[in-house]
Amino acid sequence: MKNYFLATLLFIGFNTANYAQSVTSVTTTAQKPDDVKFDFICHPYLQNMTTSGVSIFWLMNKNCTSWIEFGETQALGKKAVNSANGQIDANSEIQKVAIENLVPGKTYYYRTASKSIVKYESYNVVFKDTVYSELYTFTLPAEKVSKFSFLVFGDVHNKCEYIKEVMTHEKDFDFVIFNGDVVADIMSEKQIYGNFLDKISGFFAAQKPFIYERGNHETRGGYTRSLLKYFDYPANHYYHNFLYGNTNFTFLDCGEDKEDNKYESYFGLADYDAYRKKQAEWYSSLIQTKEYKKAVNRIICSHIPIYKAYDNDKEGGGDWHGASDLRDNFLPLFQQTKIDLMLNGHTHMPRLLTPAQAESPYFVAISGSPIYENYSTPKRFTAYTLVEINGSKITVTLKKPDGSIIDKAEVK
């Protein structure tokens, strides 16, 4: 009996020591060691800009607390923090500060500030270094703006370097739409900020906002459920609607392009049929609202195309389940309201289709993709879309990264 108890005590002691060592290991690896310089891992980028505010995101390589210094001149003079339930955000690597109550149409200067936290205990918080960004500007839209432009990039598939070339000749746009399959097949969070966010911050996103629409490839990979926390949406989910000046934008979240029960692809973790139906119910209510009806122009953004002629496009995936389910849910609703333009991706084939060509009551613009640049696929190549709004006139231009025009049409 003595030997039994002795063995038990030794076993407990051994495993307790191992547990303590394991906890210590987790604790020390969760935060970067002191000899690592406190610094950015992703520079600022703008989200969810309205006529009176904007959200600014950035990422630091150590836990910290952060704020924004801003103002109408380079002297700044104002400060904004993010807080929830009485607590200012702290002890996280992802930084987000929403600045509110700003003046429509006004240009503001800003810089980010982050102070590292080396110890956070119940009655003792120890701060260390403070890191500032460079000085940036952003300009809010005017309340009744009727002349503006934006760019659309789709199917980037982790290859966003060509956007840097685009920015050398596109200077006057107001915002950017990323139309799905941008950070594709997400296998780590570093892929989200390292391959995409930090790069486009340097290209344009520290001074002009973008809207990120999820594509079917953003639903694949072990870290897809982490994607949402890097962006800001009006209702904190991917599908949403907003009015920009005289134009209404509706963003749909298409989900996967194959059947939910296709086990070899989704392994029982897909529920997109119900999700698309839920969005259709939401859109059905949306088109009855005064805000939607009063818009001069109406634009739909959907990664997977939703137009009648796409039914027969087997090469682009038009006969796949996701596309047909979207048509079943949304085309009857689109017939009930006036839509001017549908912005799509997914096929990797740049196209600008008239309503007659699309067999639908709206123009369709599909952006290209860099993923097939090194293959002999002449229909698939890198391209982006420029959309210009001037009152009730909408002009759509498909371009190559060097700015050369592929196709152009006056939609309205």
Side-chain angles (χ1 to χ4, degrees):
M1 183 64 73
K2 286 182 179 180
N3 290 337
Y4 172 79
F5 281 115
L6 179 61
T8 302
L9 288 170
L10 287 171
F11 176 80
I12 293 172
F14 174 77
N15 282 280
T16 301
N18 280 348
Y19 173 76
Q21 184 179 5
S22 174
V23 171
T24 302
S25 175
V26 170
T27 303
T28 55
T29 56
Q31 180 69 298
K32 301 290 190 304
D34 288 340
D35 60 350
V36 174
K37 180 185 176 183
F38 180 48
D39 207 351
F40 289 92
I41 55 175
C42 178
H43 289 78
Y45 58 96
L46 305 181
Q47 289 283 285
N48 198 16
M49 181 177 283
T50 68
T51 56
S52 60
V54 66
S55 294
I56 302 174
F57 282 71
W58 69 103
L59 282 76
M60 304 301 293
N61 66 348
K62 294 185 180 183
N63 289 346
C64 59
T65 187
S66 295
W67 62 93
I68 295 285
E69 297 174 358
F70 69 100
E72 296 180 19
T73 69
Q74 295 186 35
L76 305 177
K78 297 181 180 180
K79 177 180 177 180
V81 298
N82 228 57
S83 66
N85 306 308
Q87 293 180 303
I88 293 174
D89 291 353
N91 223 27
S92 172
E93 293 182 347
I94 299 178
Q95 315 304 310
K96 170 194 170 184
V97 175
I99 310 177
E100 301 173 336
N101 301 315
L102 302 179
V103 180
K106 183 74 71 175
T107 296
Y108 290 87
Y109 294 83
Y110 81 93
R111 69 175 181 177
T112 68
S114 298
K115 182 184 290 185
S116 64
I117 299 175
V118 296
K119 183 182 290 186
Y120 198 137
E121 298 175 345
S122 299
Y123 302 100
N124 184 27
V125 179
V126 179
F127 302 100
K128 196 176 180 184
D129 303 319
T130 300
V131 171
Y132 295 91
S133 73
E134 63 181 90
L135 197 64
Y136 300 105
T137 63
F138 62 82
T139 302
L140 298 180
E143 285 185 332
K144 297 182 179 180
V145 64
S146 60
K147 186 176 182 180
F148 62 94
S149 65
F150 60 93
L151 306 176
V152 185
F153 299 100
D155 298 279
V156 175
H157 283 273
N158 307 310
K159 297 177 180 291
C160 69
E161 290 296 338
Y162 75 95
I163 297 173
K164 185 176 182 180
E165 179 184 4
V166 173
M167 294 303 151
T168 62
H169 53 82
E170 297 289 358
K171 303 291 187 181
D172 298 326
F173 64 93
D174 293 276
F175 60 90
V176 166
I177 294 173
F178 284 101
N179 203 0
D181 286 6
V182 177
V183 182
D185 306 326
I186 305 170
M187 298 306 297
S188 72
E189 290 196 58
K190 185 177 180 180
Q191 184 181 340
I192 300 170
Y193 55 78
N195 288 358
F196 174 65
L197 289 174
D198 194 45
K199 289 182 179 179
I200 65 165
S201 170
F203 298 162
F204 73 88
Q207 302 192 80
K208 295 187 179 183
F210 68 90
I211 301 107
Y212 193 104
E213 182 175 26
R214 189 171 69 160
N216 57 297
H217 276 271
E218 275 101 351
T219 69
R220 302 174 186 174
Y223 284 83
T224 59
R225 291 160 183 82
S226 299
L227 184 65
L228 188 62
K229 66 185 179 183
Y230 291 92
F231 306 107
D232 197 23
Y233 300 97
N236 199 35
H237 47 61
Y238 294 110
Y239 66 92
H240 58 101
N241 187 84
F242 66 86
L243 196 66
Y244 192 99
N246 67 348
T247 302
N248 190 92
F249 290 84
T250 303
F251 287 79
L252 303 177
D253 186 17
C254 296
E256 266 296 0
D257 56 7
K258 304 174 188 67
E259 295 84 351
D260 285 350
N261 61 4
K262 196 171 182 62
Y263 192 82
E264 62 271 24
S265 296
Y266 312 131
F267 303 93
L269 298 175
D271 191 26
Y272 296 109
D273 286 352
Y275 183 52
R276 285 185 285 260
K277 184 176 181 180
K278 179 181 179 181
Q279 291 179 69
E281 292 169 352
W282 163 79
Y283 183 72
S284 178
S285 297
L286 173 70
I287 61 178
Q288 304 303 322
T289 63
K290 291 181 180 179
E291 291 76 10
Y292 186 90
K293 291 179 178 180
K294 75 178 183 181
V296 175
N297 309 306
R298 298 189 187 97
I299 296 174
I300 303 285
C301 300
S302 167
H303 174 68
I304 297 176
I306 309 174
Y307 60 90
K308 190 66 176 69
Y310 189 50
D311 286 1
N312 300 317
D313 186 3
K314 292 180 173 57
E315 184 180 7
D319 60 338
W320 292 1
H321 173 75
S324 63
D325 193 51
L326 284 163
R327 286 191 294 274
D328 291 344
N329 277 290
F330 287 98
L331 274 180
L333 296 174
F334 293 160
Q335 299 289 347
Q336 298 176 26
T337 185
K338 182 180 180 302
I339 298 168
D340 300 299
L341 176 63
M342 173 80 72
L343 297 171
N344 297 126
H346 192 59
T347 69
H348 302 174
M349 295 183 286
R351 300 187 74 184
L352 182 53
L353 303 175
T354 66
Q357 292 171 320
E359 298 178 29
S360 293
Y362 42 77
F363 277 79
V364 174
I366 302 176
S367 300
S369 172
I371 195 171
Y372 291 109
E373 282 293 302
N374 296 322
Y375 297 84
S376 56
T377 51
K379 292 183 179 180
R380 293 181 165 95
F381 54 90
T382 309
Y384 68 97
T385 306
L386 168 66
V387 181
E388 298 167 288
I389 309 290
N390 189 356
S392 61
K393 179 182 176 182
I394 303 176
T395 304
V396 182
T397 309
L398 287 180
K399 294 184 176 184
K400 292 183 178 181
D402 62 7
S404 58
I405 294 175
I406 301 166
D407 200 358
K408 184 173 183 177
E410 187 172 312
V411 168
K412 186 183 174 187

